[in-house]
Amino acid sequence: MKAGRLLSLDVLRGFDMLFIMGGCPLALALCAAFGAPDGALARQFRHVPWEGLAFKDMIFPLFLFIAGASFPFSAAKRLAQGATRAALVGHVLRRGVALAVLGLCYNGLLAFDFAHLRVFGVLQLIGFAWTVAALLAIGFERRARLVLALALLLGPSALFWLVGAPDFPDAAPFTPEGNLGCWVDRTLWGGHILQPRFDPEGTAGLLASPATALLGVLAGDVLRSSLSGARKAAALFLSGALLVVAGLALSPVVPVVKALWSASFVLVTGGCSAMLLGAFYFALDVKGWRRGAMFFRVIGMNALTIYLAQHVVDFGKVSAFLWGGAVRLLPPDGRPVGMALAYLATCWLLLYFLYRKGIFLKV
């Protein structure tokens, strides 16, 4: 397959976004309803405070990986339609800037409170990382991309290992105090970061996250190769497993830290993302097992819409208005689960309406 749109990419993106638009609160409500609000399963749906990895910590890197995997398809389509490489570069740069501006608006740019405006954010990091990976994909052949991915993956962590934060010279290099990227955050950006000591989408992430997007590009290259469908899925799954093993092997030296996008974090999350993509691709695009796929595709086709809409629209109030009466009929212990389901249903129905009307927010 040389161009076109893979169902597995849309469905996997929708599966990922499900947890952003209410899946994690629903899972936590279910855990509480069954008497384990702080159990091992519940902890998977909360972010790890610093070092380590939970399922919720996979959501962001998986989305960035999918964005990278989609690029070879979109680039091939544009080139097939007659676009030049220069035009493709211009499109990539415009998209990256648009995502950064949307991210700043999400952070409160339109309030004009520039003294307290947070500079970094999820959309800014996605825009930057995807842009870097896309430009490298345009400028270099596939083998060179692999070398560049390794350099982006290992380079920042090597820098952090060798150069610590000047204001905490005795702190470990992969701690909030001792990390060089965190030092840049609090020194250069001051009151414009999320936390006093660092920003979780800050300088360290800007340096290292393009590796995740470029790993996604490499996965997209596999999907566009001449291999059979089953072999593509197997290649993704095997390479993903190897990345996970490499990340775990590296973790005693370079710990898994999401806020720093440490090399071990990129390897483990990139490996898990590749295995998930391989499994979804095999099930949906190779075997054609599509029952239930529409539910996730509706979300995946408008991922940016629901991410931004939740910041603007009070879906809690909307879902209470629509479903509150029905939820009150449930036993008291079941009402949190009912409201979590109502929130998710309200978001999905909006996206389904947009899907049926052919309305998709893209940049």
Side-chain angles (χ1 to χ4, degrees):
M1 181 180 291
K2 297 301 180 186
R5 192 177 190 100
L6 288 182
L7 179 61
S8 52
L9 286 172
D10 288 332
V11 172
L12 181 56
R13 187 186 301 109
F15 171 79
D16 192 39
M17 286 300 300
L18 173 70
F19 296 96
I20 291 178
M21 73 172 217
C24 285
L26 174 59
L28 289 170
L30 285 168
C31 289
F34 286 95
D38 298 310
L41 181 60
R43 288 196 294 272
Q44 291 302 311
F45 298 98
R46 300 188 181 98
H47 285 303
V48 172
W50 183 256
E51 183 178 339
L53 189 68
F55 174 81
K56 191 173 183 179
D57 299 310
M58 272 291 306
I59 295 172
F60 191 179
L62 175 59
F63 187 91
L64 185 53
F65 183 93
I66 296 168
S70 301
F71 179 72
F73 291 91
S74 62
K77 181 179 179 180
R78 287 180 176 272
L79 293 173
Q81 292 173 343
T84 64
R85 287 186 176 270
L88 187 58
V89 168
H91 164 73
V92 167
L93 292 174
R94 287 192 297 273
R95 187 170 189 260
V97 170
L99 285 169
V101 171
L102 283 173
L104 288 172
C105 291
Y106 187 96
N107 288 353
L109 177 66
L110 300 180
F112 301 109
D113 183 10
F114 302 119
H116 301 97
L117 178 67
R118 182 189 174 202
V119 174
F120 300 110
V122 170
L123 291 179
Q124 295 93 311
L125 192 60
I126 291 174
F128 178 81
W130 178 86
T131 299
V132 171
L135 292 176
L136 293 176
I138 295 170
F140 295 91
E141 296 298 325
R142 293 178 182 178
R143 291 184 180 179
R145 294 174 197 169
L146 179 59
V147 176
L148 289 166
L150 289 172
L152 289 170
L153 191 157
L154 297 173
S157 286
L159 174 64
F160 297 153
W161 182 265
L162 295 171
V163 183
D167 53 348
F168 289 95
D170 297 325
F174 294 100
T175 61
E177 297 81 11
N179 183 261
L180 180 64
C182 296
W183 172 78
V184 173
D185 289 347
R186 56 183 177 261
T187 302
L188 183 60
W189 300 108
H192 299 281
I193 58 178
L194 187 62
Q195 301 185 27
R197 294 175 299 168
F198 72 100
D199 195 295
E201 283 83 41
T203 304
L206 289 177
L207 292 174
S209 59
T212 296
L214 196 52
L215 288 175
V217 170
L218 293 171
D221 289 336
V222 171
L223 293 177
R224 294 193 66 249
S225 71
S226 59
L227 294 172
S228 69
R231 289 189 176 183
K232 292 176 186 178
L236 287 172
F237 202 88
L238 179 59
S239 59
L242 291 174
L243 288 175
V244 171
V245 170
L248 293 176
L250 183 62
S251 62
V253 179
V254 178
V256 177
V257 181
K258 175 182 179 292
L260 301 179
W261 289 76
S262 62
S264 55
F265 174 81
V266 173
L267 286 167
V268 172
T269 57
C272 291
S273 299
M275 289 191 289
L276 279 170
L277 179 56
F280 274 65
Y281 174 75
F282 182 76
L284 296 166
D285 294 302
V286 177
K287 289 298 186 180
W289 299 334
R290 301 189 175 188
R291 180 176 296 180
M294 178 61 71
F295 175 82
F296 296 105
R297 189 167 192 247
V298 165
I299 304 170
M301 293 283 286
N302 250 323
L304 182 59
T305 300
I306 196 58
Y307 181 79
L308 293 173
Q310 289 182 102
H311 194 62
V312 177
V313 179
D314 191 338
F315 281 97
K317 286 187 177 180
V318 176
S319 58
F321 173 78
L322 293 174
W323 313 101
V327 170
R328 282 193 293 272
L329 298 176
L330 297 173
D333 291 345
R335 290 173 190 170
V337 175
M339 286 310 302
L341 278 170
Y343 183 97
L344 197 154
T346 303
C347 292
W348 189 87
L349 287 172
L350 170 65
L351 295 181
Y352 182 68
F353 172 80
L354 297 175
Y355 179 86
R356 290 297 300 268
K357 295 295 183 180
I359 301 172
F360 306 103
L361 178 60
K362 298 179 180 179
V363 295

